Every structure is written in structure tokens, then in C-alpha cells.
Amino acid sequence: MVKDPHVPGGVRLQKLLSQAGVASRRHAEKLIVSGRVKVNGQIVRQLGTRVDPKATLHVDNKRVFRDETNLTLALNKPFGVLSSMSDPEGRDCLANYLADYNERLFHVGRLDQNSEGLILVTNDGELANRLTHPSYEIKKTYMTTVAGVVNAASARAALEGVELEDGPIVCDEFVVKDSLSDRSLVQITIHEGRKRVVRRLMKQLGHPVIRLVRTRIGSIHLGHLHSGATRKIEGDQLAELMKLVDL
């Protein structure tokens, strides 16, 4: 049974939309009547519907944020940094690059110490959990420099499945971008997060990784973010990221 989004004593839906800066109350009413507004995933067309002020709202399937409490960041993890928020041995870790933020932050996924690139950091525990949960199959893209010339047979094997010690790995994309006499640049996209899986894949194919940089998680790209720097993910970018995991 679908739960009725109407909550006696709640806040009028058009008022919440107006407070969020989506539209004036009059225009918000038009959005509601036309079926463009969802409350907790359910379309609401009835004017005057009162809802929980903490309800999840979407307009045109884009998440509506009503406050500034959500903090989600893209961080370009440098080589040699641990993917953890603290380290008892005092080694360089993610927290050293997030000192400007007082919120309790969760990192999304991991990169091994010798890998670089995009890590998402958020104070939204549910977002972090869903982005890492295998059921959502969030795609991640890596640019890898590997030893040797990667041929078509290796690319075909990566797309069809390569057996590792903990089960097969099938790449969503495997594109050789460039090759020299002793190394190749390969773009790899996968939708799982097993430990060191890209490195183990390439080793199994006979091309050990020399350098590994993650460039994308879901809809978020590393772009031109400098090593060690952060960038806020907000507005439409954050809404699109949350849409991937049904938030």
C-alpha cells in the first residue's frame, strides 16, 4: 500500500516549494496540478496537501533541496594518500584535505594508496551508503597507464569477462586511448567496487598498472580539479547524483 503523503498539521506543499526557491506559490500550484511534483516518490496533484517538512521532494524528477545542510564534495585524492578519514599511524589521509569543513563526513568508495583521482565526500550517510551499494551499479571510470601494448584480444576479454580469484570481472567499457612501445593508456569503466579490482584485472591480462586515476563516479566527473583540491557538488549536479540512487 502506498503511504498517503498528506500529513495533518504538516506544511502546505506549495509553501515548501516556494521556500526552496523553486517557484512562487502561484507557480508552485501550477506545478502540482500538472503532476510535476513528487513527495517521497509519489506524484501529488491535490492543492492544499500538507506534507512532512522533512519529506523528499522532486520537481520534474529532480531533487529539491530546502536547506544548506547537505554537503557533498568532489576530492582529487593525491598519490600516496590513504582513503580514510583518520590514521592511527599519522599517515597522510583524506581528513588532511578536508580541514575547512566541520561536518562529519563520509567518503564514497576507496582508492588504494598509490591510486589517484575522484573520491566523493558527503555528510549524507544515506547517499554514501547507496552510492557504494552494489545493487545500484554506479559506474566508475578510470584512466590507467599500463605496461606493454594492449591488443584487441585483451580488450575483448575485458568486455566479455576475466576470471579473478574472487570471481569474474566484466568491464562496461574498455578503450585503448594510446599506445607506445612499452606502455598503453586505457580507459576502463566498471560498476563494482571490489578491492584493487582494476589493478588485478590488468595484471591478469598481462599489463600491470603503472598509474591509475579515477575520473568519474556516476554522473560526477573529476574535470580539471587539481590534486588535493575539493569542489562542492550542488544544484542540478547533486540532484542528478541523488537520482541515480533513488533519493
Side-chain angles (χ1 to χ4, degrees):
M1 179 181 294
V2 178
K3 185 178 180 180
D4 187 350
H6 180 75
V7 177
V11 180
R12 287 183 182 272
L13 180 54
Q14 57 264 47
K15 181 178 180 180
L16 280 184
L17 293 173
S18 175
Q19 289 174 340
V22 172
S24 66
R25 291 197 192 186
R26 179 163 295 182
H27 185 55
E29 290 175 354
K30 294 180 180 179
L31 293 175
I32 294 168
V33 171
S34 60
R36 296 166 62 185
V37 179
K38 290 182 180 179
V39 179
N40 293 335
Q42 182 179 349
I43 294 176
V44 173
R45 297 177 183 268
Q46 182 64 46
L47 290 179
T49 298
R50 293 181 177 271
V51 302
D52 184 336
K54 295 182 180 180
T56 299
L57 306 182
H58 289 82
V59 174
D60 294 334
N61 291 318
K62 289 188 176 181
R63 178 73 177 267
V64 174
F65 300 99
R66 300 188 300 283
D67 55 43
E68 302 298 325
T69 59
N70 184 288
L71 176 65
T72 300
L73 306 166
L75 166 65
N76 187 349
K77 185 189 91 67
F79 178 90
V81 175
L82 295 177
S83 291
S84 64
M85 298 305 294
S86 63
D87 182 66
E89 299 179 22
R91 292 173 294 181
D92 199 11
C93 63
L94 300 179
N96 295 333
Y97 301 86
L98 301 166
D100 291 340
Y101 305 99
N102 297 319
E103 292 85 353
R104 183 189 179 194
L105 297 171
F106 307 90
H107 63 280
V108 175
R110 300 178 65 85
L111 286 171
D112 66 70
Q113 190 172 359
N114 293 331
S115 296
E116 310 161 56
L118 181 62
I119 280 186
L120 298 182
V121 183
T122 181
N123 64 348
D124 187 329
E126 184 61 22
L127 175 61
N129 288 336
R130 294 195 185 196
L131 285 171
T132 54
H133 197 282
S135 65
Y136 289 99
E137 297 188 345
I138 300 300
K139 292 184 178 181
K140 297 168 281 290
T141 299
Y142 302 82
M143 291 299 295
T144 62
T145 303
V146 302
V149 176
V150 179
N151 58 29
S154 292
R156 186 167 56 253
L159 293 170
E160 294 176 352
V162 174
E163 192 68 36
L164 303 178
E165 64 270 21
D166 55 353
I169 171 68
V170 178
C171 295
D172 297 286
E173 295 178 336
F174 188 99
V175 181
V176 179
K177 291 290 191 178
D178 196 12
S179 291
L180 300 173
S181 60
D182 63 343
R183 63 184 58 192
S184 300
L185 180 65
V186 185
Q187 179 177 291
I188 299 170
T189 299
I190 59 175
H191 60 263
E192 58 173 281
R194 279 182 282 167
K195 188 174 182 180
R196 298 172 64 86
V197 68
V198 173
R199 291 183 182 273
R200 292 189 287 126
L201 163 68
M202 295 312 300
K203 183 178 180 180
Q204 186 69 16
L205 290 173
H207 301 283
V209 169
I210 298 169
R211 186 186 182 199
L212 188 150
V213 180
R214 184 159 61 199
T215 59
R216 178 173 69 96
I217 299 175
S219 57
I220 304 301
H221 293 257
L222 181 64
H224 299 292
L225 191 62
H226 295 298
S227 180
T230 60
R231 178 181 76 241
K232 284 189 177 182
I233 305 299
E234 50 193 357
D236 288 346
Q237 275 199 330
L238 182 57
E240 183 64 24
L241 183 65
M242 290 197 165
K243 184 178 178 181
L244 291 176
V245 291
D246 299 330
L247 284 175

